[in-house]
Amino acid sequence: MKIGIIGGGMSGLIAARDLQSAGHTVEIIEKSRSVGGRLATRRMNDGQADHGAVYFTVRSDELKQEVKEWQAAGVVKEWFADPYPRYVGSNGMNKIGKYLAEGLDVRLNEKIETIAAKEGGIMLTGSEQLHYDAVIITAPIPQAAALLEGSPLNLTQEDQKLKEYIFEPAFVGLIELNENIQVGEYGLLDQDLPEGILKIVNNGEKGISNNPILSIYMTGEWSEKWFDREEAAMEEVVRLSVEQLGDLSIASKQLKRWRYAQAKQVFNAPYYQLEQHPVWLCGDAFLDPDDPSGHTRVESAYISGKKVAEQIIRFAQS
Ligand SMILES: Cc1cc2nc3c(=O)[nH]c(=O)nc-3n(C[C@H](O)[C@H](O)[C@H](O)COP(=O)(O)OP(=O)(O)OC[C@H]3O[C@@H](n4cnc5c(N)ncnc54)[C@H](O)[C@@H]3O)c2cc1C
């Protein structure tokens, strides 16, 4: 089969690799200029900072096995264990996406605007029309639901329930410092912080940056409150950071705003297929009902990508 995957984040990349290994022809269509999605790293002068996932943890045997390979390839490393290991991209989280995309067919800077049924298959329209036998949408559920709503597909009542899933936003302030400062034991503070701050990371101490750049992760509630006031939000992030860390000698600063950072409510299955079309949805918010953590994270995206690929392989054989 020829399969189109909308989105080159963790779930899309994993599904693509498994489907391609099973002999299918796979194309990833990604709207950004790089793969990785919320595995995101930004360059700032001589250094860089992660501004999506901070680290990932591993509970499942499948991911445990895979992480060993990624470690052997030098793509990930253990940051610290407390008591469970926290893994990070050795050279930034985004490099994990780049590594997983090796050998895959990826179209970058291509945003899919509509999905239509055409001659027994599916047609995606962005800057051109692309034809597939089956399609996987990996965008966060609210974005996937909006894409479906705006498309000429027959959506059943069950399909339309996807609109009910809500994600919360996140602001991440990036502050490049002129002088290094110690942030917690390992370059991470995630407790007893001023209201609004979820985590503070020093990317230098995390081992991914030549210069000290702080990533200040704000809570969902705070980010919702400040969502439309970006300039003021940056100032407030700095004020709260100084309240926690003392005076900072700031070289430069930037703000990253995620409209869809994590699901407020998860979907209780690892993927969903539209009732009348060969179109599947997967991603971090699609969790096994017995998922031990119950929240969206890198590992849930990984498992969802694996499971949707298994299902499509079975579908192709039937
Ligand atoms: C600020 C922040 C902090 C986080 N911290 C952690 C953490 O510490 N630990 C952890 O485990 N997880 C963390 N996460 C969550 C983790 O990053 C995600 O669970 C995981 O990366 C999601 O992968 P995904 O494939 O489901 O989705 P995504 O990575 O969002 O991938 C979806 C992709 O689809 C693309 N796309 C969307 N619409 C279209 C379209 N119409 N056309 C083409 N492409 C499209 C997007 O550009 C994106 O690349 C964090 C997330 C954020 C935002």
Side-chain angles (χ1 to χ4, degrees), residues 22-38:
H24 296 289
T25 303
V26 182
E27 233 169 40
I28 292 182
I29 309 109
E30 168 56 55
K31 68 178 178 182
S32 312
R33 60 195 157 106
S34 156
V35 291
R38 279 171 277 160

Side-chain angles (χ1 to χ4, degrees), residues 39 119 138 167 170 276 295 315:
L39 294 171
E119 292 154 14
T138 72
F167 269 54
Q276 300 184 357
H295 70 92
F315 172 84

Side-chain angles (χ1 to χ4, degrees), residues 3 25 28 46 68 90 102 109 114 138 160 167 184 186 223-224 226 230 263 274 276 288 290 302 316:
I3 300 153
T25 303
I28 292 182
D46 293 336
K68 278 190 197 153
S90 312
E102 282 171 17
N109 300 307
T114 59
T138 72
Q160 301 211 11
F167 269 54
Y186 312 101
S223 304
E224 234 158 63
W226 287 83
E230 271 189 84
L274 296 188
Q276 300 184 357
D288 263 327
D290 59 353
Y302 172 87

Side-chain angles (χ1 to χ4, degrees), residues 39-89:
L39 294 171
T41 310
R42 190 178 285 186
R43 286 216 69 79
M44 281 175 86
N45 298 319
D46 293 336
Q48 57 177 2
D50 286 331
H51 58 84
V54 183
Y55 52 71
F56 65 95
T57 48
V58 180
R59 290 183 169 84
S60 64
D61 289 338
E62 271 169 319
L63 184 54
K64 246 179 227 163
Q65 208 46 42
E66 189 123 12
V67 164
K68 278 190 197 153
E69 271 174 49
W70 300 350
Q71 267 184 302
V75 183
V76 302
K77 62 178 184 183
E78 193 180 306
W79 182 8
F80 63 93
D82 184 19
Y84 303 107
R86 262 71 166 167
Y87 295 99
V88 296

